[in-house]
Amino acid sequence: MKIRNTIIPLLFALALTSCTSGKVYDRYQHTPIGGWERNDTLMFADIARFSRSAVYTAELGLRISGAYPFMGLTLIVDKHFYPRHIVESDTIDCSLIDHNGNSRGVGGVGYYQYRFGLNPIQVSAGDSIVVSIRHNMKREILPGISDVGLMLTEAADRPKYK
């Protein structure tokens, strides 16, 4: 009985840690409750300096409530590389609702969560990155978007997208 009580939690902990191997960054930021304004740029500036050259996959996360009025969302993602002072930009067209009115996200009752792949990121040893995200919609203030997130993973652990 004692061995069983020790092994089961150990296997559970091992399973949890194996799911996150290769992940170097995973954070969400809240958008204002009154709506996300076009000039409210979300900054991910706490990404640790990279110790070695590598390619990383980047993934954008969204949490949206039923108050969001559109079927899609266009975001601009700028990656600022230091000390090289290079900026790479991606425009992401996020399809949130299919043509039948069904959400493409995971969730249900109050919020839906979405994940979208970004272009891979090539870094050199000693690089640091600041990522900024802003919306590019015609409406100045977007209601219903609660959180926007960024995840970076070593390319060997690249997630599969459908």
Side-chain angles (χ1 to χ4, degrees):
M1 190 67 151
K2 212 174 200 185
I3 293 174
R4 184 177 181 189
N5 289 341
T6 305
I7 291 177
I8 291 174
L10 181 63
L11 289 175
F12 183 71
L14 182 61
L16 286 177
T17 58
S18 67
C19 294
T20 60
S21 66
K23 191 182 298 185
V24 296
Y25 187 79
D26 190 4
R27 302 273 190 289
Y28 276 82
Q29 289 191 20
H30 299 293
T31 58
I33 298 237
W36 187 17
E37 291 188 40
R38 186 186 313 231
N39 61 356
D40 286 341
T41 300
L42 300 174
M43 300 293 289
F44 295 87
D46 60 341
I47 302 169
R49 185 176 299 269
F50 294 91
S51 60
R52 60 186 175 90
S53 297
V55 176
Y56 293 88
T57 59
E59 189 174 57
L60 180 72
L62 294 173
R63 294 182 186 137
I64 296 178
S65 74
Y68 186 71
F70 302 109
M71 293 177 66
L73 172 65
T74 301
L75 298 173
I76 297 175
V77 180
D78 294 323
K79 297 171 286 229
H80 304 262
F81 293 84
Y82 298 100
R84 297 182 286 157
H85 298 287
I86 295 172
V87 178
E88 293 179 2
S89 292
D90 292 326
T91 300
I92 309 301
D93 290 317
C94 306
S95 177
L96 306 174
I97 308 292
D98 68 17
H99 293 291
N100 295 323
N102 299 315
S103 173
R104 294 180 183 216
V106 176
V109 179
Y111 287 89
Y112 291 94
Q113 182 155 335
Y114 302 84
R115 296 178 104 152
F116 300 95
L118 301 172
N119 289 329
I121 298 174
Q122 171 72 48
V123 298
S124 300
D127 276 359
S128 61
I129 300 176
V130 173
V131 177
S132 60
I133 301 173
R134 65 189 186 279
H135 78 80
N136 191 29
M137 301 292 283
K138 288 183 181 181
R139 185 184 259 189
E140 283 293 320
I141 299 175
L142 294 178
I145 300 173
S146 66
D147 302 287
V148 177
L150 177 69
M151 183 173 73
L152 300 176
T153 308
E154 288 187 53
D157 298 315
R158 184 177 196 145
K160 306 287 189 262
Y161 296 104
K162 295 181 182 178

